[in-house]
Amino acid sequence: MKSWLLALPLIGLGCTAAAHPLAYPASVGTSIDTQTAASQLCAPLDAEHLSARYLIKNEAGQSWQIRLLRKDHNLIVQRLAQADVQKQAGQQQLQSFESWTQDGEYVRYFPREKRSITYRKGDLRALNIQYDGDSLYHLVPSKLTTELEPGAQSRQGCFATQAYRGERHGASLDLAWIPALALPYGFSHHQGQDGLSYQLVDASPLSAAEFDAMIADYQDLDFADVGDSESDPFIAKMIHQGFIQHGGSGFYDSEGHPLDDGGHGH
């Protein structure tokens, strides 16, 4: 079998869902009266069954959005360029998105074609590739809350937050953590001229049925069978578009660094 590799994005491709009207976090600097009124309207959230959307920006002026969906310890991650956010009406317009199961399997979904490609645990082991499940689940390494200096506690809209600040691997980090959700409200990472910031846009309840519906009825192909399926028009198209490629693994660690074949995560 040819050594094809599924090209994985840093956190995936995808879109955002409509925000829950009672779950919008108030902006930093919102008045106490406004925040108090907002907190009285907040939808209850279960940390293991939710949808959270983030705006991400870098120092180059680029921005995009990430949507993280949780069902227990199963995850769906979607990514959308900021310029296209308003153009997306629903999941069927996505080019692709990804999921990670609590058993450590990775799946790439292609909604337009209703096809998916799955990396089994054995595939990942054979490639000597590990993934940082903790950073996927929390969007940032959860150990930051023990490695950084704690700051003030505050309330941002619907969420009680704990501030942390410090340095890690030569980078300056600021984290506003939501303990109840085990997710950041805001996070910034600066090192030299490079910087990246995350800001929570909205969070809303997500039922197990809603999660399952997003990945139902896909025709799945094991990664191990990709090399024997090049005559499949879908596989040929994915190879042409660069979703499946020779060479580097396409995996990235929690710092965004590409992992070469034989590399590993944190």
Side-chain angles (χ1 to χ4, degrees):
M1 184 190 75
K2 291 184 179 180
S3 178
W4 290 110
L5 296 175
L6 181 62
L8 310 187
L10 174 59
I11 311 185
L13 298 172
C15 78
T16 60
H20 192 287
L22 303 184
Y24 259 96
S27 300
V28 175
T30 301
S31 70
I32 294 176
D33 289 344
T34 301
Q35 290 194 29
T36 300
S39 67
Q40 295 173 349
L41 299 175
C42 294
L45 290 176
D46 175 356
E48 295 187 348
H49 299 88
L50 59 76
S51 168
R53 183 161 56 102
Y54 287 82
L55 174 64
I56 303 177
K57 298 181 179 180
N58 63 21
E59 292 296 324
Q62 299 169 318
S63 64
W64 60 95
Q65 293 198 6
I66 292 292
R67 185 181 178 212
L68 173 70
L69 303 101
R70 287 176 175 172
K71 174 192 169 186
D72 301 316
H73 286 278
N74 299 298
L75 306 174
I76 293 174
V77 186
Q78 303 175 334
R79 180 181 185 272
L80 183 66
Q82 180 68 4
D84 295 331
V85 170
Q86 299 301 324
K87 299 178 183 178
Q88 299 293 326
Q91 179 185 334
Q92 292 304 312
Q93 293 187 348
L94 299 179
Q95 187 171 25
S96 76
F97 64 93
E98 64 185 43
S99 75
W100 294 91
T101 73
Q102 60 187 354
D103 296 326
E105 294 181 351
Y106 168 87
V107 187
R108 185 74 169 269
Y109 292 93
F110 300 87
R112 294 175 183 172
E113 296 84 1
K114 295 299 288 186
R115 299 287 297 271
S116 60
I117 300 177
T118 295
Y119 271 95
R120 306 294 178 184
K121 292 177 67 175
D123 298 326
L124 298 176
R125 286 195 298 267
L127 294 169
N128 194 26
I129 293 173
Q130 302 172 13
Y131 73 97
D132 190 341
D134 177 76
S135 293
L136 284 168
Y137 188 80
H138 301 288
L139 284 186
V140 298
S142 62
K143 61 184 178 182
L144 289 181
T145 60
T146 60
E147 294 180 347
L148 302 178
E149 290 294 325
Q153 296 180 351
S154 63
R155 187 166 191 91
Q156 304 289 352
C158 292
F159 309 109
T161 64
Q162 169 69 57
Y164 296 91
R165 175 174 292 182
E167 292 191 358
R168 185 171 183 259
H169 304 310
S172 175
L173 307 180
D174 283 280
L175 172 66
W177 186 249
I178 306 173
L181 302 184
L183 282 171
Y185 176 81
F187 174 68
S188 66
H189 175 288
H190 293 279
Q191 188 168 19
Q193 299 299 314
D194 296 325
L196 195 68
S197 67
Y198 290 60
Q199 178 61 56
L200 182 65
V201 176
D202 62 68
S204 57
L206 182 75
S207 70
E210 290 172 320
F211 184 101
D212 291 341
M214 296 187 68
I215 53 178
D217 303 322
Y218 277 77
Q219 180 182 345
D220 189 68
L221 177 69
D222 280 354
F223 165 75
D225 297 328
V226 167
D228 300 323
S229 305
E230 294 178 52
S231 61
D232 183 329
F234 165 73
I235 296 300
K237 177 181 177 182
M238 293 302 101
I239 292 172
H240 178 72
Q241 292 184 353
F243 286 104
I244 305 172
Q245 62 189 32
H246 285 298
S249 68
F251 281 78
Y252 297 80
D253 64 19
S254 61
E255 304 295 335
H257 303 127
L259 302 177
D260 296 329
D261 289 340
H264 56 82
H266 293 280

